[in-house]
Amino acid sequence: MNVMLLGSGGREHALAWALAKSPQMDKLYIAPGNGGTAAVGENVAGLDANNGAAVLAFAQEHSVDLVVIGPEAPLVAGVADGLRAAGIAVFGPSAQGAQLEGSKDFSKQFMDRHSIPTAAYATFEACEPALEYVRDQGAPIVIKADGLAAGKGVVVAETLQQAEDAVCACFEGAFGEAGNRVVVEECMTGPECSLLAFVTAGRAFCMTTAQDHKRAYDGDKGPNTGGMGVYSPVPIVTEEELAAMTAIMETAAAATASEFDMDYRGCLYGGFMLTPAGPKIVEFNARFGDPETQVVLPRLKSDLLQVMLACAEGRADDVSLEWDDASWAVSVVLASAGYPGSYEKGKVITGIEDAEALDGVTVFHAGTKVDEAGSLLTNGGRVLNVTALGPTFEAARDQAYAACQRIDFEGKQFRTDIGAKALRGRSAWD
């Protein structure tokens, strides 16, 4: 089979790495790809993944059998719709389905219609009414830009001043058009946890739990980022909580079949808060998480290509998942100095081969590129995802950090406490 994967981040390197393992794979194209994906497929650097016409033309010219859409932007732009209309199988929901991520207000209304537990909220299209609501509710409170903001449009405001500043920032253009509408939510309490699912024909096939670390600095301090580290599975999740989370994902998947005319064929990401009242949805995403993918897929024993093709073709009965239940996975993000603010690119990266020489270690590239001289350079805020598998949580975590020490580039920064709370148990969140 010829497969085309859209995207350029660590998630896409992990997807490409897993897809390339399939014996059914003939040719794998990654558009645009990064410095790591070229090792498992062919990068198509000049192709705009958000341009549906260009993606379709390339797929037809190169006899692509399946297109896998990694990031959210092409999904919201309707790239999947155009490909399906032309008869090409796509792993990724329609533009309408992608609004579960593309609009937080749309997603909240979807949850309301289907009795999916989530935080209480209100939506505003003007600054003053939003400020009045925030002052009435008090802090802590959560402020969200309605549209796509690269994972940075959410502020958990601990004080009223922070909340007011966040509302004003949205309406003053800090997130462009994404902030033209603002969703204000109650601040739920408890550990966060992700549960992703393959979805097709209204059915959910849940993956394994994962827990991301959104804040930039140790101790969950600093601004939100796209994610600084992650592990899977999540040891603090009880059997009862996992059953409740699974039921919520199944309810959501069934709802997509009725609301989106069966065109939700892809990954549904459930971001959960494990509240004292039970698991509640913080947000839905319409694609694989980043960096969750980098710890979930290394534990998947099934053929990812066959699973995705079955989803894309609506063959729910052919979806079968097998997991490596004997291993834990921990991934630490190595970032550029200054991230998530401004940062420099073009720093030489060394030591990846030494890191991957350690047992169970795989380094997924996120913001990297190879220059004309063949040197690997930084090319983004989140540069690398250093992932390790181990027989215990502690072993996987130790190996990931040992691998991080073998990699170097100017300005390298990373959190040193990924997974530390989970090692201390549920009380660490109290």
Side-chain angles (χ1 to χ4, degrees), residues 77-366:
V79 172
D81 303 69
L83 290 164
R84 283 201 186 99
I88 296 174
V90 186
F91 184 87
S94 63
Q96 186 184 24
Q99 283 301 298
L100 286 175
E101 178 170 3
S103 168
K104 293 177 177 62
D105 178 61
F106 178 95
S107 186
K108 282 291 194 178
Q109 293 188 45
F110 173 88
M111 290 183 240
D112 281 348
R113 287 193 297 274
H114 300 284
S115 301
I116 293 172
T118 188
Y121 76 102
T123 301
F124 300 92
E125 296 184 355
C127 189
E128 283 305 318
L131 290 173
E132 291 178 12
Y133 180 82
V134 164
R135 291 163 186 155
D136 182 60
Q137 297 297 311
I141 199 164
V142 182
I143 312 300
K144 296 182 176 182
D146 178 63
L148 298 179
K152 303 178 184 68
V154 177
V155 174
V156 181
E158 300 292 341
T159 67
L160 184 58
Q161 186 62 56
Q162 289 176 338
E164 291 178 347
D165 290 346
V167 169
C168 292
C170 285
F171 285 113
E172 289 172 0
F175 305 105
E177 292 184 1
N180 288 349
R181 182 185 294 121
V182 171
V183 176
V184 182
E185 294 183 356
E186 71 166 310
C187 187
M188 297 186 291
T189 60
E192 290 191 48
C193 179
S194 302
L195 183 62
L196 283 65
F198 293 99
V199 172
T200 190
R203 292 171 60 184
F205 300 86
C206 291
M207 305 184 209
T208 67
T209 55
Q211 191 166 68
D212 187 13
H213 297 63
K214 287 291 187 186
R215 297 298 184 108
Y217 311 127
D218 285 2
D220 292 326
K221 304 295 184 182
N224 271 341
T225 71
M228 295 299 293
V230 62
Y231 54 85
S232 177
V234 182
I236 62 169
V237 175
T238 66
E239 291 184 8
E240 293 77 10
E241 286 173 328
L242 181 58
M245 293 163 65
T246 300
I248 288 170
M249 295 302 290
E250 290 172 344
T251 297
T256 67
S258 59
E259 292 221 5
F260 309 136
D261 196 26
M262 305 296 281
D263 259 356
Y264 202 105
R265 308 177 209 175
C267 180
L268 182 63
Y269 171 122
F272 286 87
M273 184 76 77
L274 305 179
T275 78
K280 295 184 179 183
I281 287 286
V282 177
E283 63 182 5
F284 281 122
N285 291 330
R287 38 71 189 179
F288 275 89
D290 188 348
E292 290 89 349
T293 307
Q294 291 87 302
V295 289
V296 170
L297 291 186
R299 299 185 59 237
L300 178 66
K301 297 173 69 174
S302 304
D303 185 323
L304 179 63
L305 175 53
Q306 292 304 311
V307 171
M308 286 184 159
L309 183 62
C311 288
E313 295 179 343
R315 295 183 284 109
D317 289 341
D318 292 333
V319 177
S320 177
L321 303 181
E322 183 180 0
W323 299 96
D324 178 4
D325 292 326
S327 292
W328 295 75
V330 175
S331 186
V332 179
V333 171
L334 301 186
S336 297
Y339 177 79
S342 60
Y343 52 85
E344 295 182 354
K345 300 179 182 180
K347 308 301 183 182
V348 175
I349 303 169
T350 61
I352 290 179
E353 288 187 5
D354 289 341
E356 292 192 321
L358 293 172
D359 187 41
V361 172
T362 303
V363 179
F364 295 114
H365 295 230

